[in-house]
Every structure is written in C-alpha cells, then in structure tokens.
Amino acid sequence: MVLASLGVAAAVIGVLVVLSAFFSSSETAIFTLSEEWLAESASSTDRRLVTLRELRSDPHRLLVTILVGNNVVNVAIASLTTLLATEYLPAGIAVSVATVVASAIVLIFGEIVPKSYGLGHATTWSLRIAGPLSVVERLLYPLVVVFDAITRALNEFVGGEDIEQARVEE
C-alpha cells in the first residue's frame, strides 16, 4: 500500500514539475520575443500568432497569469514532497529534507533548464504554448484579476515600474 501511494505521489510530482517547466519556459520565451518580430508578423493570420499577440497585448496580466500558475504548482510540489517525507522520516528532518529536495527539483527541472530552453527557442516555443497558456489564463481568470489589481495598486503605491510602461521605454 505504501509503495502504491509513493508511486502515485511521485507521478503527481512529475506532472507538477512538467507544469512548472511549462510556466517557466513560457515566461522566458514570450517575454524574450522582440517587438520587431511581433511587428513583422502582425499581418499573419496564423491562429497561434493571433493568440500570442492577444497574450502579449496585456503583459502585466500575462505575467500575473504565469506567476500565479507557476507558484501554485511549485507550492504544491513542496507540499507534496513534505507530506511524502513525513511518511518516512521524523517531522523536523522531513521538513529539511523536503525543502532541499523540492528546491533542487524545482530549480533544476522547473526553472533553470526550462528557462534556458525558452530562451533558446523563443519563437517556436511561444507559438507552441500560446494556445495552452491562453486556456490557463481563462481558467485562472478570477485569481489573475485579483492579483493583477493588487500588484498594480502596490506598484503605484511604491512607485514601481508598470511592465507596460517599462516595455515602451526600452
């Protein structure tokens, strides 16, 4: 029974890591695209490109969508890893081991490698993930609206740069 639950937990963690990689690589790929390339492809009717342009039309909302998705997934990885570790180790040690293991997994497979991939394949990857990311944006819409409003208000309060304005000034 324990082996079955270990297998299920490992499979769920694997799926979560793939989702983390999706969000991390998407962020890097989409925000790496040059404005020139987007302008040159503006007349294209390729559905993927149309979706990509829609996503990029509100970069702050897009960033919030990606960050909400990525953080929910990464916290789930850490929580599940901790839950799993507490099945086999004393609580204090389990938390330490889970922190190290989850951090290493997320950093290597959910952040660094995917971001490198997104950077190296920005155009093709952006086109490939535009549709799925658009679906995620709709699914997370209530959370995105809340976090979008909060972060815009906080940015204004602390004098932070609005992402749309920062991109215009580049």
Side-chain angles (χ1 to χ4, degrees):
M1 185 65 139
V2 172
L3 239 36
S5 63
L6 177 63
V8 170
V12 171
I13 290 171
V15 169
L16 292 170
V17 170
V18 168
L19 290 171
S20 180
F22 167 78
F23 287 117
S24 295
S25 62
S26 298
E27 177 186 0
T28 300
I30 291 174
F31 286 105
T32 300
L33 294 173
S34 73
E35 294 298 325
E36 294 79 26
W37 181 82
L38 287 166
E40 289 170 8
S41 58
S43 62
S44 174
T45 58
D46 180 338
R47 202 167 80 194
R48 300 170 309 158
L49 198 47
V50 170
T51 302
L52 183 57
R53 283 195 304 265
E54 288 171 5
L55 289 169
R56 280 284 300 254
S57 70
D58 188 345
H60 189 268
R61 184 189 66 226
L62 174 60
L63 184 60
V64 170
T65 298
I66 291 169
L67 292 176
V68 166
N70 206 17
N71 278 282
V72 166
V73 166
N74 290 346
V75 168
I77 291 168
S79 298
L80 191 52
T81 304
T82 302
L83 184 63
L84 197 59
T86 59
E87 289 289 320
Y88 301 96
L89 300 168
I93 294 170
V95 170
S96 298
V97 167
T99 300
V100 170
V101 169
S103 295
I105 289 170
V106 167
L107 281 170
I108 294 168
F109 301 107
E111 293 291 334
I112 298 168
V113 171
K115 284 182 186 263
S116 295
Y117 181 85
L119 186 61
H121 302 88
T123 304
T124 55
W125 187 241
S126 293
L127 291 171
R128 183 172 292 147
I129 54 85
L133 194 55
S134 180
V135 171
V136 169
E137 186 175 67
R138 280 177 276 181
L139 290 173
L140 294 179
Y141 183 77
L143 282 174
V144 170
V145 167
V146 169
F147 284 108
D148 188 34
I150 291 169
T151 56
R152 286 180 194 267
L154 284 172
N155 274 340
E156 189 173 315
F157 178 73
V158 299
E161 223 22 67
D162 184 30
I163 191 168
E164 287 91 349
Q165 186 60 37
R167 291 190 65 80
V168 168
E169 294 174 359
E170 286 180 346

